[in-house]
């Protein structure tokens, strides 16, 4: 537990790894082959409404129904990133804690809002698993991802629930949980955990990073406070159409099928990585990405670029160093090509 004094680049994201070349993308955690044709059609149809101001009531009700919650517990946002900014600016936070390594935007948003952020750093020797006792009792805001980016660790919901306290806001980022079969350990529908704020993103599973759509699930008072901090019409009509489309019964069934396919493809990737003595993988990965450690990670990453593959550097995540890389899960064919390239990159990086 410490207050950060290092210089991690909290604004570095995987899309930076893909720029400047025709690369096979294992750096960005957006599901390949998305958005599907039916979703593109729904978004395209919404363009006929662009002359009118966006009306989010139908999409908000659809999201509420998807989770079995009342509408006043739902807030639509321009991606989960906007939600982090709203939380940092609108809630009466004095002693925020961010559990790392994890997505860096929550800490960046808190800092930009003038907060001093304390970090709880999870350790590799513990499998990057969370011990609630590591979080200071006086923390009035705690942020944790589940499954956590970049470690791919899925924390038990009972463990996360133990972080709840009177007077504390517990923010659980579930941006990737719809890639977990059955959404195991999800807290989204829970109303019995005091101070709980769950963030969801529709950009990862549906390939909508460029559209910016996500939502917050929280107590009505918290939703109202966040909504007051939003600008007028924060979510565009095409994004609202996408939100409504992505929570239908058919869409949820498609997402569930995709989650099982991701699990199979991840197992294939992990089996291939196990063949390399030079590579250590964080065990029990549950997300659509895996975290690996190799002694020459910088050189390996550069060699992979030369071989046509982009992977995500890990040293910008607090709690990780220059020996870490994050790999997005792709189909078996792409993974097979990547493993061949990794073999070459490991050899070339020794020179």
């Amino acid at each position: 537990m410490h207050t950060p004094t290092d210089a991690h680049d909290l604004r570095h994201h995987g899309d930076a790894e893909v720029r400047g070349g025709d690369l096979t993308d294992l750096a960005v955690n957006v599901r390949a082959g998305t958005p599907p044709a039916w979703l593109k059609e729904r978004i395209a149809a919404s363009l006929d409404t662009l002359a009118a101001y966006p009306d989010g009531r139908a999409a908000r009700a659809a999201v509420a129904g998807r989770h079995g919650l009342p509408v006043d517990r739902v807030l639509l946002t321009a991606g989960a990133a906007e939600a982090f900014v709203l939380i940092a600016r609108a809630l009466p936070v004095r002693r925020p804690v961010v559990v790392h390594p994890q997505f860096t935007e929550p800490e960046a948003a808190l800092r930009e809002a003038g907060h001093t952020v304390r970090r709880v750093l999870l350790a590799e020797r513990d499998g990057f698993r969370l011990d609630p006792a590591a979080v200071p009792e006086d923390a009035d805001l705690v942020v944790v991802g589940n499954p956590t980016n970049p470690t791919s660790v899925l924390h038990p919901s009972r463990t996360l629930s133990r972080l709840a306290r009177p007077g504390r806001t517990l923010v659980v980022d579930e941006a990737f949980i719809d890639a977990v079969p059955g959404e195991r350990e999800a807290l989204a529908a829970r109303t019995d955990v005091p101070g709980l704020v769950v963030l969801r993103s529709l950009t990862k599973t549906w390939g909508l990073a460029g559209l910016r759509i996500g939502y917050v699930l929280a107590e009505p008072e918290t939703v109202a406070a966040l909504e007051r901090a939003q600008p007028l019409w924060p979510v565009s009509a095409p994004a609202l159409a996408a939100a409504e489309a992505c929570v239908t019964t058919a869409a949820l069934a498609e997402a569930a099928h995709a989650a099982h396919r991701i699990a199979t493809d991840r197992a294939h990737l992990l089996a291939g990585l196990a063949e390399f003595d030079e590579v250590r993988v964080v065990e029990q990965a549950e997300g659509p990405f895996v975290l690996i450690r190799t002694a020459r990670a910088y050189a390996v990453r550069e060699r992979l670029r030369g071989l046509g593959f982009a992977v995500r550097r890990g040293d910008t995540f607090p709690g990780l160093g220059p020996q870490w890389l994050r790999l997005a899960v792709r189909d078996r064919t792409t993974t097979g090509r990547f493993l061949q390239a990794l073999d070459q990159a490991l050899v070339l990086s020794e020179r």
Side-chain angles (χ1 to χ4, degrees), residues 55-105:
D55 183 347
R57 287 176 295 178
R60 191 172 185 176
V63 170
R66 181 256 195 269
H67 293 288
L69 296 171
V71 172
D72 61 1
R73 295 186 70 97
V74 176
L75 181 67
L76 302 177
T77 60
E82 188 203 6
F84 292 127
V85 172
L86 295 175
I87 289 167
R89 294 180 179 178
L91 300 186
V93 177
R94 297 179 61 190
R95 297 176 296 278
V97 168
V98 178
V99 178
H100 284 289
Q102 78 148 353
F103 185 50
T104 52
E105 278 300 320

Side-chain angles (χ1 to χ4, degrees), residues 266-324:
R266 184 181 60 241
H268 180 66
L269 173 60
L270 293 173
L273 292 171
E275 299 296 320
F276 296 99
D277 293 337
E278 307 96 323
V279 174
R280 180 187 176 101
V281 182
V282 175
E283 297 179 356
Q284 298 179 336
E286 297 280 0
F289 45 87
V290 300
L291 183 65
I292 68 170
R293 186 180 69 175
T294 185
R296 301 178 301 280
Y298 177 82
V300 168
R301 183 168 62 91
E302 291 301 305
R303 294 293 189 180
L304 283 169
R305 285 187 66 86
L307 295 167
F309 289 87
V311 299
R312 171 63 156 92
R313 59 190 280 202
D315 62 322
T316 63
F317 293 100
L320 301 182
Q323 70 274 36
W324 294 96

Side-chain angles (χ1 to χ4, degrees), residues 126-150:
D126 300 324
F128 294 108
R129 298 198 169 277
L130 174 64
D131 177 4
V135 176
E137 281 293 325
D138 68 344
D140 59 1
L141 175 76
V142 179
V143 185
V144 61
N146 203 41
T148 302
N149 171 22

